[in-house]
Amino acid sequence: MYVTPNILLVEDDREISALVARYLKANDFRVSVASDGRDMDRRLADGHFDLIVLDLMLPGEDGLSICRRLRKASRIPIVMLTAKSDELDRIVGLELGADDYLAKPFNPRELLARIRAVLRRCEAEGGEAPPAKVHRFAGHRLDVLARRLENAEGAEVALTGAEYDLLLVLVERPGRVLSRDRLLDLTQGRSAGPFERSIDILISRIRRKIEVDPHHPEVIKTVRSGGYMFATEVESADA
């Protein structure tokens, strides 16, 4: 049975929050609004949410700090709203674990598309389960059905939705050089903008989790003027 996704919008600008909430509700989402971090915490304690739309500039605790502590406690998908000029803050937000970002001013239709894309990546697929597949590489085990990565000791390696999707794209294409534009298209369905850094940031985060020495990577290699390549052998099997 389909359950309407529940979105928590953390935004202190009443005009923007009202506009966004109205638009999302008109497109089959449930929406709750919080004006700051403490209000957000109260709402999270009272109910379940499928995704958080988080403004960067908030009174009191700012969006980056909120994103950091949310990611430590939960894997809930986060879409950050940032000022158009705040490229550095967008980069930091992605490093802290945000799944996507959108610069203000924005078209509500684009926000809707970003939310749907993130939910598609992060929430479990409904219907009949696809055949289980497992990829093994460099001592790691990637379970596609469970969306779970384990290290050589069998312990889970925590990945955000965006990290998992990018890693899966690379694992499924070993030995191929993939440009940043191609990786964006495969994971997010969009092309790189003039200041697009999300792929580089996600690669850096994944390397810290799977490489023996993230500063001298052997699994995900950078190809000058080309992009990235998954440079280790991958064994794939059902179940």
Side-chain angles (χ1 to χ4, degrees):
M1 183 177 65
Y2 176 76
V3 178
T4 304
N6 197 12
I7 306 299
L8 178 57
L9 172 62
V10 187
E11 168 64 70
D12 65 313
D13 187 309
R14 292 185 179 182
E15 184 175 346
I16 293 176
S17 62
L19 171 65
V20 171
R22 186 166 57 249
Y23 188 81
L24 293 179
K25 288 176 181 177
N27 283 275
D28 202 23
F29 286 89
R30 291 176 289 157
V31 182
S32 296
V33 177
S35 58
D36 57 24
R38 286 199 287 186
D39 193 10
M40 178 198 74
D41 291 338
R42 287 192 292 269
R43 294 185 180 276
L44 286 174
D46 291 338
H48 168 78
F49 294 91
D50 300 290
L51 181 143
I52 294 176
V53 178
L54 177 63
D55 187 30
L56 181 69
M57 300 298 295
L58 291 168
E61 186 180 13
D62 65 42
L64 292 179
S65 175
I66 292 172
C67 181
R68 180 186 296 109
R69 65 180 178 84
L70 279 173
R71 191 49 72 227
K72 286 181 178 179
S74 169
R75 294 188 188 180
I76 186 169
I78 301 170
V79 175
M80 294 199 73
L81 302 179
T82 73
K84 198 176 183 87
S85 60
D86 290 338
E87 182 193 359
L88 178 60
D89 287 332
R90 294 201 297 272
I91 292 170
V92 173
L94 289 167
E95 288 177 336
L96 292 176
D99 294 275
D100 204 349
Y101 68 83
L102 188 60
K104 293 180 178 180
F106 58 85
N107 187 316
R109 290 180 62 185
E110 183 175 4
L111 176 60
L112 175 65
R114 296 288 182 91
I115 289 172
R116 284 175 171 166
V118 170
L119 287 175
R120 281 197 301 270
R121 298 199 309 263
C122 297
E123 65 187 7
E125 295 291 338
E128 184 178 352
K133 279 201 167 185
V134 171
H135 303 293
R136 291 181 173 84
F137 64 90
H140 289 78
R141 180 180 184 274
L142 186 67
D143 188 323
V144 178
L145 182 61
R147 292 177 65 90
R148 176 185 172 95
L149 177 66
E150 297 176 353
N151 62 19
E153 289 72 42
E156 182 176 6
V157 179
L159 297 173
T160 67
E163 290 168 0
Y164 171 85
D165 289 329
L166 180 54
L167 178 60
L168 181 61
V169 163
L170 291 165
V171 167
E172 290 181 336
R173 296 162 178 82
R176 291 175 54 183
V177 178
L178 299 171
S179 69
R180 292 169 179 81
D181 283 12
R182 180 61 177 151
L183 289 169
L184 275 168
D185 182 57
L186 288 168
T187 57
Q188 301 178 28
R190 61 190 177 97
S191 299
F195 301 109
E196 183 59 74
R197 292 283 309 280
S198 62
I199 291 298
D200 296 333
I201 293 163
L202 289 171
I203 290 288
S204 177
R205 280 162 41 186
I206 294 170
R207 280 172 170 165
R208 290 199 293 267
K209 297 178 180 183
I210 68 171
E211 298 277 3
V212 174
D213 182 357
H215 299 292
H216 299 89
E218 295 296 328
V219 178
I220 303 176
K221 296 205 169 207
T222 301
V223 180
R224 174 174 258 179
S225 302
Y228 295 101
M229 179 176 68
F230 202 76
T232 193
E233 183 177 347
V234 178
E235 296 181 3
S236 301
D238 292 335

